[in-house]
Amino acid sequence: LKKINHGGVTTPLGYQSSAICADIKGNKSGKKDFGILVSDVPAVVSATFTKNKVKAAPVIYDIQLLSEKSEFFGIVINSGNANACTGKLGLENTKRICSEFENRLQIDNKSLLMASTGVIGVQLPVNKMLKYVNEIVNELDDTDDNLAEAILTTDTVIKKSAYLVETENGAFVVGGIAKGAGMIAPDMATMLAFITTDALVNKDIQDEVLRLAVEESFNSITVDGDMSTNDSVFLFSNGMSGISVNHGENLELFKEAVKAVCLDLAQMIVRDGEGATKFVTINIKNAKSYEDAKKCAFKIANSPLCKTMFFGSDPNWGRLMATIGSSLIDFDEDKVDIYFDNLKYVENGLLISEDLEDKAYEIMKKDSFSITIDLKIGTFSKTVYTCDLSYDYVKINADYRT
Amino acid sequence: LKKINHGGVTTPLGYQSSAICADIKGNKSGKKDFGILVSDVPAVVSATFTKNKVKAAPVIYDIQLLSEKSEFFGIVINSGNANACTGKLGLENTKRICSEFENRLQIDNKSLLMASTGVIGVQLPVNKMLKYVNEIVNELDDTDDNLAEAILTTDTVIKKSAYLVETENGAFVVGGIAKGAGMIAPDMATMLAFITTDALVNKDIQDEVLRLAVEESFNSITVDGDMSTNDSVFLFSNGMSGISVNHGENLELFKEAVKAVCLDLAQMIVRDGEGATKFVTINIKNAKSYEDAKKCAFKIANSPLCKTMFFGSDPNWGRLMATIGSSLIDFDEDKVDIYFDNLKYVENGLLISEDLEDKAYEIMKKDSFSITIDLKIGTFSKTVYTCDLSYDYVKINADYRT
């Protein structure tokens, strides 16, 4: 597995992208907000979507198409408008935009998917958008910075990752781009990720590889515990490297590469969380079940009291204990050990020494640190990634539309 | 039911209180932090406690005593230290402090309860506290402002309420004091409430009256969704009015009065939430079940995205729809109506008109407003009370101990 500098969604063979500013928000910001990712040949697509019961029109559209067929030429993407809570017209607009691209690209009907992100409850400015289809298609090339930029909302940096994988028969590549920022939570809050590969893989195997990678990456991060109407992760494989990854060693390498890209993108999303100043890794160890470990980790990662404590660099272990308790998992207060990075701070439910406070404070002042909670009553563990809760989170979200 | 101005926990017949500064935090703030509430005669006590699996020493102590007997002379209370995560020594300290008061008051062993609030994980400064027992007992009188002040932590105002109830045979009074601020959530996060009455009531009936009142008041409020190790609500009845409320009309009046006091105190807690600038009432109407209505109401009341939107006075109904969806309750997106106060803003899942935005903004700019969500698929409703999430919440909690 070799990390590719500046690698992204068009790094694997046979992918092109393009994006422009269609002024979808209508505020003449000049920011790119509309684009497309296409494969030169049909690609097998796997995807996972938000569990929110309110699903955006493009999510409903994609789920329907993916139930009908498994190969697609690409995906149309816009930011600035989520096309959620937009009723039948919202669904028709999705279809209309995809059709226009399909006609222009001279590919079959229903061979493009769509993803949207942005404000909820406002119809897409379709007529305005359709005027840009020609320009977008004309500008297709094998770079992806424009598209990586066009999918952002309150994100502050583009998010890209790619790995080259050498096998006995040759090499394949897995790459991706993502957007995140606020509303990131388990089961994928407002986040979009697009992963591509030139490996050759069957639909069933690819579905399972994506499911596992998402559980360990995008479903193991949280910014504020909210879950959006639009979250989606797509994995496209076009087989253009000629390397099959359906079996044995190659399958293991493929799993590893997809997970590495997903984890890179997921961690970049947390680091760029709305107002985030710190990246915090929460390790729960030796819980009675995986569900308990996960529940406890997310309870801490989403607790406003814990998150403001991270912001304030305050090693207030009592808040951690209270939060473990409020997660209602099985545990024994008198067995809990707590570490800040490698510093053991609490043993068997009690502070080891007040003298350690300064050391713990120094660790928490860093822009990245870990908290490990060893429950010592089982064998199951879970790691989640989160950020702190700062003044800027409030500022960004109080002023989102104004 | 007649509201008594400045009424509190010593307004019913036969109750006295007292509180002083014992410098429990050790920072010489001069703030009152240690006191007692006593009844002239033994009172029947009902109580509900935090569901957090990590319970503070006084909570463990009280639960034990309440399982052994039902009548007590009063309760010792301190702020500045939660006596939670303090192991066996914490429990011994609780017992030692209660014993000292029992000796000084010349009452039976185990006839006082205890409640604590403040920082977790630090032992109580017992020796310092014991020195103040005499002074506290000497200053007992029938006022309660000192005690109402001594139980506060990050609260900014004292919280008191009392009602006079006239019956055919005479009058009785129900009164109370409370502390709240941050960490207020369903099932009672860091909050303490002490309710007293001079009515005469059996233990079983009183338990049920308190349970119902708490469900509609303290368990229907939230500041930040966290749940503490110390939350407790106590109801003392000493029967000194001579009015029995065990049956018929009197029982109904008693229920009403206890609920009124609890609701007053609960709403004061939300209004005084950490950094709160607005009091928001969330009404969920016509859900398929009470559980669904409650789940949905709390999901909105605890959502950082909704709470920052309240702070910013932004009628971003899409966030409300997304949050209803993420609560995973049964509902139909196309049936949802949303009101800001009495202004119908969304009908059948769609914005009625963009022209309403200014009106909705004016409503949300007020320091108190309601959001009503009519799901139109059932007959169950739930109201919860919450506040917004402001810069000051972050400030208060990032700096709590420093």
Side-chain angles (χ1 to χ4, degrees):
Chain A
L1 229 61
K2 203 181 134 196
K3 186 148 191 165
I4 300 172
N5 283 337
H6 310 295
V9 77
T10 56
T11 310
L13 294 173
Y15 291 96
Q16 297 187 70
S17 84
S18 160
I20 51 88
C21 168
D23 194 31
I24 289 170
K25 276 190 183 169
N27 61 359
K28 305 217 161 72
S29 67
K31 286 186 182 162
K32 294 184 187 71
D33 52 14
F34 192 28
I36 192 170
L37 167 69
V38 289
S39 171
D40 296 345
V41 296
V44 172
V45 177
S46 301
T48 59
F49 297 100
T50 180
K51 286 181 185 152
N52 195 310
K53 288 214 174 182
V54 177
K55 288 178 171 55
V59 172
I60 296 168
Y61 183 76
D62 293 345
I63 290 174
Q64 177 60 34
L65 259 57
L66 283 160
S67 75
E68 295 170 12
K69 51 195 285 238
S70 60
E71 296 198 344
F72 296 84
F73 268 100
I75 185 161
V76 179
I77 316 168
N78 77 274
S79 63
N81 185 315
N83 193 7
C85 299
T86 46
K88 280 181 193 168
L89 182 58
L91 205 55
E92 278 165 28
N93 287 340
T94 300
K95 200 177 298 186
R96 216 173 129 201
I97 291 166
C98 287
S99 291
E100 192 73 16
F101 275 101
E102 285 153 357
N103 292 339
R104 179 61 185 74
L105 288 164
Q106 294 179 292
I107 54 178
D108 282 351
N109 195 13
K110 294 191 179 178
S111 60
L112 290 175
L113 299 164
M114 185 157 184
S116 303
T117 177
V119 154
I120 300 174
V122 179
Q123 295 292 348
L124 282 177
V126 195
N127 293 328
K128 188 152 73 171
M129 291 169 74
L130 291 178
K131 286 185 200 151
Y132 291 93
V133 170
N134 257 320
E135 186 182 341
I136 291 170
V137 172
N138 288 338
E139 293 187 1
L140 276 168
D141 62 25
D142 64 359
T143 67
D144 51 25
D145 279 357
N146 283 346
L147 186 64
E149 193 185 317
I151 64 179
L152 306 183
T153 53
T154 52
D155 306 58
T156 64
V157 292
I158 65 170
K159 297 164 186 76
K160 295 173 52 166
S161 172
Y163 288 86
L164 175 77
V165 187
E166 314 259 15
T167 74
E168 287 184 352
N169 352 44
F172 67 89
V173 173
V174 178
I177 58 171
K179 66 109 0 192
M183 271 180 97
I184 300 306
D187 306 315
M188 299 182 302
T190 299
M191 59 139 296
L192 299 175
F194 307 93
I195 325 281
T196 54
T197 180
D198 48 20
L200 189 69
V201 55
N202 292 341
K203 167 81 171 158
D204 292 353
I205 292 170
Q206 178 173 292
D207 282 352
E208 181 64 7
V209 168
L210 181 64
R211 196 189 64 74
L212 287 173
V214 167
E215 173 67 16
E216 298 283 308
S217 57
F218 300 114
N219 282 349
S220 294
I221 60 174
T222 178
V223 169
D224 60 11
D226 273 306
M227 174 165 72
S228 101
T229 50
N230 291 58
D231 311 322
S232 317
V233 178
F234 299 89
L235 172 55
F236 290 76
S237 60
N238 65 11
M240 285 189 72
S241 69
I243 309 293
S244 163
V245 296
N246 283 316
H247 310 284
E249 170 83 0
N250 281 11
L251 175 56
E252 292 312 310
L253 287 168
F254 181 58
K255 278 185 192 169
E256 216 182 302
V258 172
K259 190 180 152 184
V261 170
C262 288
L263 199 59
D264 277 358
L265 295 173
Q267 294 191 355
M268 285 182 224
I269 286 172
V270 173
R271 283 178 201 277
D272 196 23
E274 284 171 352
T277 73
K278 291 177 190 183
F279 179 82
V280 186
T281 302
I282 313 284
N283 301 305
I284 306 297
K285 287 196 170 164
N286 299 314
K288 272 214 176 144
S289 67
Y290 175 74
E291 290 65 37
D292 271 8
K294 190 172 175 180
K295 206 166 148 187
C296 181
F298 273 113
K299 190 80 188 177
I300 292 170
N302 282 325
S303 158
L305 276 173
C306 292
K307 290 169 90 74
T308 46
M309 167 186 128
F310 303 155
F311 179 56
S313 306
D314 181 2
N316 191 341
W317 66 281
R319 283 196 191 168
L320 293 173
M321 291 295 287
T323 307
I324 303 167
S326 75
S327 76
L328 303 180
I329 62 159
D330 251 339
F331 79 108
D332 182 347
E333 186 185 335
D334 302 331
K335 284 190 178 165
V336 176
D337 294 349
I338 300 178
Y339 300 77
F340 293 98
D341 279 353
N342 292 319
L343 176 74
K344 195 176 199 174
Y345 197 66
V346 171
E347 188 169 63
N348 296 324
L350 294 173
L351 181 64
I352 290 174
S353 161
E354 286 184 12
D355 300 341
L356 297 175
E357 189 166 326
D358 287 347
K359 279 188 191 167
Y361 172 72
E362 289 303 322
I363 290 168
M364 293 183 75
K365 272 207 322 195
K366 297 185 303 175
D367 64 3
S368 173
F369 62 87
S370 71
I371 293 177
T372 301
I373 291 164
D374 192 345
L375 300 172
K376 299 193 299 195
I377 55 157
T379 57
F380 294 88
S381 297
K382 177 69 185 176
T383 296
V384 308
Y385 309 94
T386 191
C387 55
D388 56 345
L389 173 57
S390 71
Y391 301 122
D392 280 351
Y393 175 87
V394 177
K395 187 166 158 71
I396 291 164
N397 284 295
D399 299 340
Y400 182 55
R401 300 196 311 170
T402 48
Chain B
L1 228 61
K2 202 181 135 196
K3 186 149 191 164
I4 299 171
N5 283 335
H6 310 295
V9 77
T10 56
T11 311
L13 295 173
Y15 292 95
Q16 298 186 70
S17 84
S18 159
I20 52 86
C21 167
D23 193 33
I24 290 171
K25 275 192 184 167
N27 60 0
K28 305 216 160 72
S29 68
K31 285 187 183 162
K32 294 185 186 73
D33 53 14
F34 192 28
I36 192 170
L37 167 70
V38 289
S39 171
D40 296 347
V41 297
V44 172
V45 177
S46 301
T48 60
F49 297 100
T50 181
K51 286 181 186 153
N52 194 310
K53 288 212 173 184
V54 177
K55 290 178 169 56
V59 172
I60 296 168
Y61 184 76
D62 294 344
I63 289 173
Q64 178 59 36
L65 259 57
L66 283 160
S67 75
E68 294 170 12
K69 52 195 286 239
S70 60
E71 295 198 344
F72 296 85
F73 269 99
I75 185 161
V76 179
I77 316 168
N78 77 274
S79 63
N81 185 315
N83 194 7
C85 300
T86 46
K88 279 180 193 168
L89 182 57
L91 205 55
E92 277 164 30
N93 287 340
T94 299
K95 200 179 297 185
R96 216 173 131 200
I97 292 166
C98 287
S99 291
E100 192 74 17
F101 275 102
E102 285 153 358
N103 292 338
R104 178 62 184 75
L105 288 164
Q106 294 180 293
I107 53 179
D108 282 351
N109 194 13
K110 295 191 178 179
S111 61
L112 290 175
L113 300 163
M114 184 157 185
S116 302
T117 177
V119 153
I120 301 175
V122 179
Q123 295 292 347
L124 282 177
V126 195
N127 293 327
K128 187 152 75 173
M129 290 169 74
L130 290 178
K131 288 185 197 151
Y132 290 93
V133 170
N134 258 320
E135 184 181 341
I136 291 170
V137 171
N138 288 339
E139 293 187 1
L140 276 168
D141 62 25
D142 64 359
T143 67
D144 51 25
D145 279 356
N146 283 347
L147 186 63
E149 193 185 317
I151 64 179
L152 306 184
T153 52
T154 52
D155 307 58
T156 64
V157 292
I158 66 170
K159 297 164 185 75
K160 295 173 51 165
S161 171
Y163 288 85
L164 176 76
V165 187
E166 313 260 14
T167 74
E168 288 184 352
N169 353 44
F172 68 90
V173 172
V174 178
I177 57 172
K179 67 109 0 193
M183 271 181 97
I184 302 306
D187 306 315
M188 298 183 302
T190 299
M191 59 139 296
L192 299 175
F194 307 93
I195 325 281
T196 54
T197 180
D198 49 20
L200 189 67
V201 55
N202 292 341
K203 167 79 171 159
D204 292 353
I205 292 170
Q206 177 172 293
D207 282 352
E208 182 64 7
V209 168
L210 181 64
R211 196 188 63 75
L212 288 172
V214 167
E215 173 67 15
E216 299 283 308
S217 57
F218 300 114
N219 281 350
S220 294
I221 60 174
T222 178
V223 169
D224 60 11
D226 273 307
M227 174 165 72
S228 102
T229 50
N230 292 57
D231 311 321
S232 316
V233 178
F234 299 88
L235 172 54
F236 290 76
S237 60
N238 64 12
M240 285 188 73
S241 70
I243 310 292
S244 164
V245 297
N246 283 317
H247 308 284
E249 170 84 359
N250 280 12
L251 176 55
E252 293 310 311
L253 287 168
F254 181 59
K255 279 185 192 169
E256 216 182 303
V258 173
K259 189 180 153 186
V261 170
C262 288
L263 199 58
D264 278 358
L265 295 173
Q267 294 192 353
M268 285 183 225
I269 285 172
V270 173
R271 282 179 202 278
D272 196 23
E274 285 172 350
T277 73
K278 292 178 189 181
F279 179 83
V280 185
T281 302
I282 312 284
N283 301 305
I284 306 297
K285 287 197 171 162
N286 299 314
K288 272 214 176 141
S289 68
Y290 175 74
E291 289 66 37
D292 270 9
K294 191 172 174 180
K295 206 165 149 189
C296 182
F298 273 113
K299 190 81 188 179
I300 291 170
N302 282 324
S303 158
L305 276 172
C306 292
K307 291 169 90 75
T308 46
M309 167 185 128
F310 303 155
F311 178 55
S313 306
D314 181 2
N316 191 342
W317 66 279
R319 284 195 190 169
L320 294 172
M321 290 294 287
T323 306
I324 303 167
S326 75
S327 76
L328 303 179
I329 63 159
D330 252 337
F331 80 107
D332 182 348
E333 186 185 334
D334 302 330
K335 284 190 179 166
V336 176
D337 294 348
I338 300 178
Y339 300 77
F340 293 98
D341 280 352
N342 292 320
L343 175 74
K344 195 176 199 173
Y345 197 66
V346 170
E347 188 169 61
N348 296 324
L350 294 173
L351 180 64
I352 291 175
S353 160
E354 286 183 11
D355 299 342
L356 296 176
E357 188 166 327
D358 287 347
K359 279 189 191 166
Y361 173 72
E362 289 303 322
I363 290 168
M364 293 183 75
K365 272 207 323 196
K366 297 186 304 176
D367 64 4
S368 173
F369 63 88
S370 72
I371 292 177
T372 301
I373 291 164
D374 192 346
L375 300 172
K376 298 193 299 197
I377 56 158
T379 56
F380 294 88
S381 296
K382 177 69 185 175
T383 297
V384 308
Y385 310 94
T386 191
C387 56
D388 55 347
L389 174 57
S390 70
Y391 301 120
D392 280 351
Y393 175 85
V394 178
K395 188 169 155 77
I396 291 165
N397 284 295
D399 300 341
Y400 182 55
R401 302 196 310 171
T402 49

